[in-house]
Amino acid sequence: MLITIEGIDGSGKSTLIENLKNELKDINPVFTREPGATWIGEQVRRGIAEEIDPVAEALLFVADHAAHLDVVIRPGLSKNLTIISDRYTDSRYAYQSVTLKNHLIDPVGWLRLVHNEWTVRPDKTFLLVIDPEISIQRIKNEREGNEHFERLETLKGVQSAYLKLAAEEPDRFVIIDAEKDRDEIASFVAGEIRNLHNNGA
Ligand SMILES: Nc1ncnc2c1ncn2[C@@H]1O[C@H](COP(=O)(O)OP(=O)(O)O)[C@@H](O)[C@H]1O
Ligand SMILES: Cc1cn([C@H]2C[C@H](O)[C@@H](COP(=O)(O)OP(=O)(O)O)O2)c(=O)[nH]c1=O
């Protein structure tokens, strides 16, 4: 089973994942992430830091995804493991719909074509939703915040793209109020994943 955790920068994904590692020890899921599950992730990070051409950047994220499927996702699913990924394809549909909006007429349509036929659809996606002003504040408290995605206007656009995706696939997406207490969020998501795991087993 493939579970993904999505949300804008500073929405609390890493915090949630760390808590899930504790709460789901009995299930022993595989924790993974995009970008960065393979060496291609290092090139993606370089591309982000250098603010390379948005089409080149998008295709690096796609290359990272293809390698991630090959090395982690498909082998894990074939062993019937429960996989939890910190970001996945919806990150592309949400972020690149913003970064490519001045380059392509229909960025999401283009991205769907690029992924079709080889990607693997998640069984469930938990989307952390937060006021982008609050997420920016959270990020500022802990890091420099110079990644080019970590800008208020960008994060507002990314979040509305995420919400549109969630509205299109209500059975897959679970929307989480990311402004709630972190322990409350973690125990709710852990409970949902445990149920899915038990029903799928
Ligand atoms: N539910 C929460 N309430 C308040 N602060 C939170 C919550 N979840 C995470 N944080 C804090 O917000 C910041 C960003 O969280 P993080 O998990 O790194 O987000 P992301 O991985 O989505 O970028 C961290 O300082 C973290 O401690
Ligand atoms: C997976 C993915 C991430 N991103 C962005 C989101 C993040 O701002 C950035 C780096 O991802 P990530 O390492 O998850 O960020 P963080 O610094 O919060 O741990 O890349 C995309 O634009 N497209 C994608 O397909």
Side-chain angles (χ1 to χ4, degrees):
M1 184 177 55
L2 175 60
I3 311 279
T4 61
I5 312 287
E6 295 280 0
I8 60 174
D9 295 61
S11 59
K13 295 179 302 304
S14 316
T15 305
L16 172 60
I17 296 274
E18 284 314 306
N19 287 334
L20 291 178
K21 284 180 185 168
N22 275 327
E23 298 228 11
L24 295 174
K25 275 197 180 116
D26 52 321
I27 293 178
N28 198 22
V30 174
F31 286 93
T32 185
R33 61 173 300 142
E34 288 191 13
T38 73
W39 64 266
I40 297 175
E42 291 159 31
Q43 308 311 313
V44 177
R45 289 194 187 286
R46 182 172 168 187
I48 296 173
E50 293 184 14
E51 300 202 19
I52 59 167
D53 172 80
V55 174
E57 181 180 75
L59 292 172
L60 277 178
F61 280 119
V62 174
D64 180 67
H65 179 61
H68 188 208
L69 288 178
D70 183 42
V71 173
V72 180
I73 305 291
R74 285 200 200 93
L77 292 177
S78 73
K79 290 183 201 133
N80 259 334
L81 298 174
T82 292
I83 304 174
I84 302 178
S85 186
D86 180 354
R87 297 194 181 283
Y88 194 75
T89 304
D90 296 304
S91 280
R92 236 122 33 244
Y93 294 157
Y95 282 77
Q96 274 59 59
S97 72
V98 173
T99 61
L100 294 173
K101 70 171 189 269
N102 295 326
H103 291 70
L104 300 170
I105 294 166
D106 176 14
V108 175
W110 181 79
L111 286 161
R112 284 196 197 282
L113 282 177
V114 173
H115 285 81
N116 277 355
E117 295 183 33
W118 56 273
T119 192
V120 176
R121 183 179 180 270
D123 296 290
K124 223 35 148 188
T125 297
F126 294 91
L127 174 60
L128 295 171
V129 177
I130 185 170
D131 178 344
E133 309 239 8
I134 297 176
S135 79
I136 290 275
Q137 208 48 53
R138 285 184 183 176
I139 295 165
K140 273 201 191 132
N141 290 342
E142 67 163 32
R143 48 191 192 236
E144 282 301 303
N146 55 3
E147 266 189 25
H148 70 93
F149 302 111
E150 295 176 354
R151 292 175 188 142
L152 184 59
E153 283 317 306
T154 305
L155 293 187
K156 279 185 180 169
V158 172
Q159 176 138 288
S160 67
Y162 267 133
L163 290 172
K164 204 167 155 222
L165 294 168
E168 283 165 9
E169 283 185 77
D171 291 345
R172 173 162 69 89
F173 279 87
V174 180
I175 292 184
I176 306 290
D177 178 354
E179 293 175 29
K180 284 197 169 153
D181 177 74
R182 62 188 80 195
D183 294 334
E184 197 183 324
I185 295 171
S187 62
F188 172 75
V189 175
E192 294 286 297
I193 294 177
R194 184 171 283 103
N195 285 343
L196 290 164
H197 175 87
N198 291 339
N199 292 336

